[in-house]
Amino acid sequence: MRKRTIFFTCLVVAAGGIWLNNSSLLSGRPAGVPTVLAHRGLAQDFVRTDLRPDTCTATRMLPPRHGYLENTIASMEAAFALGADALELDVHPTTDGKFAVFHDWTLDCRTEGKGATRSHSMTELKMLDIGYGYTADDGKTFPFRGKGIGMMPSLDEVLSHFPARRFNINVKSNDPLEGEALATWLARLTPAERAYLSVYGGDKPIAAVKAALPGMHTLSRASLTQCIARYAALGWSGYVPDACRQGTLLIPINVAKWMWGWPDRFLDRMQAVDTRVYLLGPYSGGGFSEGLDDPQLIDQLPDDYSGGISTDALDRVMPVIKQRFAS
């Protein structure tokens, strides 16, 4: 009986120690406001049911709430003006050694062009109308046709236009050669310039970027899966696995609450290993979650939350964030 009592006492003490070690009570993290990552800048919204990787979202556009097209300099300027702290953009290599900032694998959906984006030069891509294919009424009208000519930027144009701004660069392929080419391009930047950037995408190109530039912030499905699984097993102790270090994490809001030390101790630990954390919308199986796009989800953020969120609907959620986290 005495041994059983000692055992349960030790168990309670151990459980209490784990709870205390992961309690935000031990965090000295000051109250703050969320860091907001705007996905593709200000983009046109679209019907999101039954999406596939090759779905033409421009033909599913909802009635416009604003006049901006995703992944353009103008949409990025508008997003920063609304209060975004960082932007996500998509890149494809071009035949003349550039990186085009454009989402789709092919040109056929949004532009009057044809074929794979990567099979064209930046000079050719600059001639296209990126607003050509947008319609909210099954092709009766095309409100952006003729308004997007020459608006596809290159990656160097974006970074030159926005010095000292944070960007998440999304590699759209799983080609390791693309990762090597992007790493070569990034190596021309200074370490201070690269510190503003994160790179994420397919496992193979991201592994190539990390191998060439070990200090680069990166994210892939493999690194995210390894980080979450290993942290779930060991994070109770305060240990942060290597897969979680010096990277970027995109975590669904309904998964984050199960991370050891959530919110403040978890954020403290990730900050200590130079990792950036952004919350996504709820995960319900399948691929990556969508952004934190429903303004009602802002109410689910912890009080004084100072981590990041990623959203596809900056114009909808930013006013709610400013109201909720007003100082």
Side-chain angles (χ1 to χ4, degrees):
M1 186 67 178
R2 178 179 174 79
K3 291 181 178 180
R4 184 179 298 176
T5 300
I6 293 173
F7 172 77
F8 280 112
T9 300
C10 291
L11 190 63
V12 169
V13 170
I18 292 173
W19 175 85
L20 184 62
N21 189 45
N22 289 281
S23 169
S24 291
L25 293 173
L26 291 184
S27 173
R29 192 176 192 84
V33 298
T35 298
V36 180
L37 171 68
H39 191 233
R40 305 185 207 170
L42 272 184
Q44 295 301 318
D45 204 358
F46 52 88
V47 178
R48 296 174 182 268
T49 55
D50 301 321
L51 289 177
R52 300 189 307 272
D54 60 349
T55 298
C56 179
T57 59
T59 60
R60 290 171 159 235
M61 182 182 71
L62 295 172
R65 298 194 303 266
H66 54 74
Y68 297 100
L69 297 174
E70 64 182 51
N71 279 322
T72 62
I73 297 289
S75 79
M76 296 174 194
E77 288 178 335
F80 282 129
L82 274 176
D85 301 286
L87 299 183
E88 184 271 357
L89 53 78
D90 308 290
V91 297
H92 298 269
T94 65
T95 58
D96 52 355
K98 303 282 189 178
F99 282 91
V101 178
F102 188 67
H103 175 268
D104 296 355
W105 186 261
T106 65
L107 300 169
D108 305 62
C109 170
R110 297 180 203 280
T111 83
E112 74 277 31
K114 301 293 182 183
T117 305
R118 60 171 48 209
S119 67
H120 294 75
S121 69
M122 197 68 230
T123 301
E124 293 170 328
L125 296 174
K126 280 286 189 183
M127 298 172 65
L128 298 176
D129 177 8
I130 62 170
Y132 187 86
Y134 285 85
T135 179
D137 53 14
D138 296 321
K140 295 185 181 69
T141 61
F142 294 86
F144 293 103
R145 184 166 288 185
K147 299 179 180 179
I149 300 172
M151 291 182 67
M152 188 188 303
S154 63
L155 182 57
D156 49 353
E157 284 181 280
V158 170
L159 298 189
S160 176
H161 193 86
F162 299 101
R165 286 289 198 174
R166 289 170 62 174
F167 287 93
N168 281 17
I169 300 170
N170 184 10
V171 176
K172 302 303 293 183
S173 79
N174 197 29
D175 181 357
L177 295 179
E178 183 173 344
E180 293 174 9
L182 182 57
T184 299
W185 189 94
L186 291 168
R188 297 199 294 265
L189 303 177
T190 67
E193 290 170 329
R194 287 197 298 272
Y196 288 105
L197 308 176
S198 296
V199 182
Y200 75 100
D203 294 342
K204 293 178 181 178
I206 298 309
V209 171
K210 198 69 172 178
L213 298 169
M216 197 77 209
H217 288 82
T218 58
L219 170 68
S220 66
R221 185 180 295 274
S223 68
L224 180 63
T225 301
Q226 292 171 10
C227 171
I228 290 178
R230 294 172 186 176
Y231 187 79
L234 300 170
W236 58 270
S237 67
Y239 173 72
V240 179
D242 289 344
C244 301
R245 295 170 181 263
Q246 202 166 31
T248 299
L249 299 180
L250 296 173
I251 305 178
I253 192 170
N254 57 336
V255 173
K257 64 183 180 181
W258 298 107
M259 304 300 285
W260 290 106
W262 180 258
D264 289 347
R265 290 286 274 168
F266 176 78
L267 294 174
D268 288 343
R269 290 166 184 167
M270 294 304 117
Q271 182 176 321
V273 297
D274 195 20
T275 288
R276 300 158 184 171
V277 178
Y278 296 97
L279 291 181
L280 298 173
Y283 179 72
S284 56
F288 280 118
S289 299
E290 296 176 358
L292 207 65
D293 302 335
D294 185 345
Q296 293 184 353
L297 290 174
I298 302 303
D299 290 333
Q300 296 185 22
L301 296 175
D303 291 337
D304 300 320
Y305 176 68
S306 58
I309 71 162
S310 175
T311 181
D312 294 271
L314 181 72
D315 58 315
R316 295 179 62 203
V317 302
M318 200 70 217
V320 181
I321 290 172
K322 289 180 178 179
Q323 183 179 27
R324 165 91 194 274
F325 293 90
S327 56

